[in-house]
Amino acid sequence: MAERFSAFSFVDRITSLEPGVRAAGRYWVPGAIAQFPPSLVAEAVGQLAAWASMSQLNFRFRPVAGLAGEALFMRDAAPGQTLDLEVAIERCDEEAISYGGAASVSGARILTLKDCVGPMLPMEEFDAPEAVRADFDVLRGSGAPAGRFQGVSPREVAVIERVPGERLRAELRVPEAAPFFGDHFPRRPVFPGTLLLDTQIGLAVQLAGEAAPLRDAGVLAPARVSDVKMRVFISPGQVLELRLELQSATPEGATISIAARANGKPVSTGRADIAPRRPS
């Protein structure tokens, strides 16, 4: 498993599992990386839900990113910390999984996911079922080797239009090759939606910081992302147009619409709430 899942796998061990109902797991954030973005904490919870659903369906299907009703970010995960992950599954069948979940550090919740839905697709399109089953057995047993993740290289983003404090357009060039494609997924490389979201959050923080009520608010950070919808897969080498528009801003925070398009067609939509960083 260390070779197969080393670049974009965020569950080290599944500590409990009630098939089709709930699961818990852990992930150790490597101490050597510079940061672990909030979107990857959400990815870790989503991956735990994926393991629970794949095992429930005998590894014939796997979920892919679809809808996320709400993600609440309480605080960041620091390198060297251990994430305690949990998911509660509302539905799991050959059509879709719907679930909610959370991540905590030392008993303090740092992220909550609500109303998430992942459509199911045949496993064989993405990976070898027998290999995924073997990986699951490792996670349910001794656990995967810790410290596999080495971080993600900065994405290539170019701002092409900016009206400070109002709207922003940028181009994101998805790499032709990257280590995370080996995990996501071995047979069908797909750019992770959480890396797209991380890029959009970074731009949303910039846009919020230009709005008059937040110019002197100090460090800004994501507080909430809602109504996220991934419409299509993102392939290696694609160029995405990112569009962000300020919806409202007060000294307490800003709401920004986020969208991505490729070749003039929608890729994703959602909203991001950006607020002054709360003391730890």
Side-chain angles (χ1 to χ4, degrees):
M1 183 175 185
E3 292 183 1
R4 277 177 43 83
F5 284 87
S6 59
F8 207 74
S9 181
F10 305 118
V11 179
D12 289 337
R13 189 162 181 262
I14 299 172
T15 54
S16 67
L17 176 64
E18 189 175 346
V21 179
R22 61 179 60 86
R26 287 180 179 169
Y27 177 70
W28 180 70
V29 181
I33 62 174
Q35 62 172 340
F36 195 71
S39 64
L40 293 190
V41 179
E43 175 76 29
V45 175
Q47 288 186 8
L48 178 63
W51 283 114
S53 66
M54 292 187 294
S55 63
Q56 171 74 0
L57 299 173
N58 200 28
F59 303 97
R60 293 179 295 113
F61 297 88
R62 72 150 299 123
V64 295
L67 304 173
E70 185 177 46
L72 301 172
F73 303 106
M74 290 77 170
R75 62 182 178 89
D76 293 342
Q81 291 183 327
T82 296
L83 302 181
D84 291 308
L85 312 170
E86 58 183 88
V87 293
I89 299 170
E90 300 167 6
R91 169 191 174 186
C92 180
D93 55 35
E94 295 181 1
E95 294 184 358
I97 178 177
S98 58
Y99 68 94
S104 302
V105 172
S106 300
R109 184 168 293 195
I110 67 169
L111 172 132
T112 298
L113 288 182
K114 299 180 180 179
D115 302 325
C116 298
V117 177
M120 292 289 181
L121 291 176
M123 176 71 78
E124 290 187 347
E125 293 184 14
F126 298 90
D127 205 344
E130 64 278 7
V132 179
R133 185 191 302 272
D135 294 336
F136 174 77
D137 290 341
V138 172
L139 295 179
R140 284 291 284 145
S142 60
R148 294 157 291 151
F149 181 58
Q150 301 297 310
V152 177
S153 298
R155 274 127 280 160
E156 186 178 343
V157 181
V159 175
I160 55 179
E161 180 188 7
R162 182 195 296 271
V163 178
E166 294 185 18
R167 64 181 182 272
L168 182 153
R169 278 197 309 135
E171 280 189 349
L172 167 62
R173 294 187 174 273
V174 177
E176 293 278 359
F180 55 74
F181 284 129
D183 291 359
H184 202 272
F185 300 97
R187 289 183 175 176
R188 185 177 182 178
V190 174
F191 185 68
T194 47
L195 290 185
L196 169 60
L197 182 60
D198 182 54
T199 305
Q200 292 170 314
I201 286 174
L203 294 172
V205 167
Q206 293 181 29
L207 186 59
E210 296 166 350
L214 293 169
R215 284 177 190 156
D216 300 316
V219 177
L220 301 178
R224 177 176 180 263
V225 173
S226 58
D227 300 327
V228 175
K229 183 174 184 179
M230 294 295 302
R231 299 172 183 271
V232 297
F233 289 128
I234 304 170
S235 301
Q238 276 194 290
V239 177
L240 305 181
E241 180 190 359
L242 310 183
R243 299 183 179 184
L244 295 88
E245 185 171 345
L246 185 76
Q247 303 294 301
S248 63
T250 70
E252 285 71 45
T255 298
I256 295 170
S257 65
I258 56 177
R261 300 176 69 85
N263 299 319
K265 297 181 180 180
V267 170
S268 71
T269 54
R271 286 198 305 273
D273 293 342
I274 307 299
R277 186 183 297 275
R278 295 185 294 269
S280 299

